[in-house]
Amino acid sequence: EVVLVESGGGLVQPGGSLRLSCAASGFTFSSYAMTWVRQAPGKGLEWVSAISGNGDSTYDADSLKGRFTISRDNSRNTLFLQVNSLRAEDTAVYFCAKGRYFDWFLSDNWLDPWGPGTLVTVSS
Amino acid sequence: SYELTQPPSVSVSPGQTASISCSGDKLGDKYAFWYQQRPGQSPVLVIYQDSKRPSGIPARFSGSNSGNTATLTISGTQAMDEAEYYCQAWDNSTVVFGGGTKLTVL
């Protein structure tokens, strides 16, 4: 069974940083692209970033480029999201999800399954 | 940037058919995906590549995509289907989600 568990969220002051983690199990982690999606309280889903199976290719939402960095450690079956210069509007639950393929940019790629998410609250 | 538009809410009586639309420019030229999110839970893929169901998803869920509109149809809707539903498509290497539709089973 594929299991994804996010961690690293919490309360952070505006301008601060966090490193989110997503621990994966139940599949060959290095063979699949992975992604982060966030959801502000009471709002819809917003795609954040994605990374190919070997980490060589990364993709970011235009609105977040420069502040968020995705990476992965295939030896530890873990996906990361470094979030910097945090703003109140970054307050959200951050989900990780597994892609269907090694590569990210394929028109029939899906996001499945998803982890339970980790809450990031940006407030002074 | 590419946009997907969904109705904010849809209501259906138990046992009836619910249809949720998702519109976007030439959406029919892309694949549409649908995710179900129950309150307090993470999203679950219910339809991929316009009309295919992942294993474990009941047959009452179906999808179609043509022109500018993709549609998620739930036949014989059950109380457990009450949830938020999001459509999704690709715009180059970017994932785009619709704003979500709250399905209420009255």
Side-chain angles (χ1 to χ4, degrees):
Chain A
E1 179 194 8
V2 174
V3 176
L4 303 172
V5 179
E6 303 89 341
S7 61
L11 176 63
V12 60
Q13 293 189 337
S17 298
L18 280 176
R19 190 192 199 198
L20 309 182
S21 300
C22 170
S25 61
F27 65 104
T28 304
F29 184 67
S30 60
S31 294
Y32 296 91
M34 297 291 294
T35 191
W36 289 97
V37 176
R38 70 180 183 179
Q39 185 172 38
K43 302 297 184 181
L45 302 173
E46 180 185 16
W47 177 72
V48 173
S49 189
I51 188 168
S52 61
N54 61 4
D56 283 355
S57 299
T58 61
Y59 309 84
D60 302 300
D62 287 341
S63 60
L64 301 173
K65 279 181 178 175
R67 295 196 300 123
F68 289 19
T69 303
I70 191 171
S71 63
R72 64 193 296 161
D73 184 342
N74 286 345
S75 68
R76 295 165 54 192
N77 290 349
T78 304
L79 175 73
F80 301 102
L81 185 68
Q82 179 69 38
V83 294
N84 298 328
S85 303
L86 283 161
R87 309 164 181 166
E89 54 265 36
D90 295 319
T91 294
V93 174
Y94 286 73
F95 298 100
C96 66
K98 174 183 169 289
R100 187 180 186 183
Y101 305 112
F102 176 89
D103 293 316
W104 173 246
F105 178 30
L106 292 165
S107 64
D108 59 342
N109 202 358
W110 64 38
L111 284 65
D112 182 68
W114 299 49
T118 186
L119 176 62
V120 173
T121 303
V122 184
S123 175
S124 55
Chain B
S1 60
Y2 194 75
E3 294 185 356
L4 294 173
T5 301
Q6 299 180 235
S9 62
V10 168
S11 297
V12 64
S13 300
Q16 299 303 303
T17 296
S19 294
I20 299 174
S21 63
C22 173
S23 62
D25 184 49
K26 298 180 181 178
L27 180 55
D29 292 344
K30 307 174 184 289
Y31 283 129
F33 301 78
W34 291 91
Y35 300 85
Q36 175 195 67
Q37 186 179 31
R38 295 191 175 106
Q41 298 186 18
S42 51
V44 173
L45 179 71
V46 294
I47 292 290
Y48 67 99
Q49 287 179 240
D50 298 337
S51 59
K52 298 181 179 181
R53 281 179 292 106
S55 60
I57 300 302
R60 64 179 181 274
F61 287 85
S62 62
S64 63
N65 185 17
S66 179
N68 294 322
T69 304
T71 302
L72 173 69
T73 302
I74 309 172
S75 304
T77 307
Q78 300 181 9
M80 65 186 300
D81 300 329
E82 185 162 289
E84 194 85 17
Y85 290 86
Y86 295 91
C87 62
Q88 177 246 306
W90 286 83
D91 180 33
N92 293 314
S93 61
T94 298
V95 166
V96 180
F97 291 102
T101 298
K102 168 63 176 175
L103 177 66
T104 301
V105 182
L106 299 170

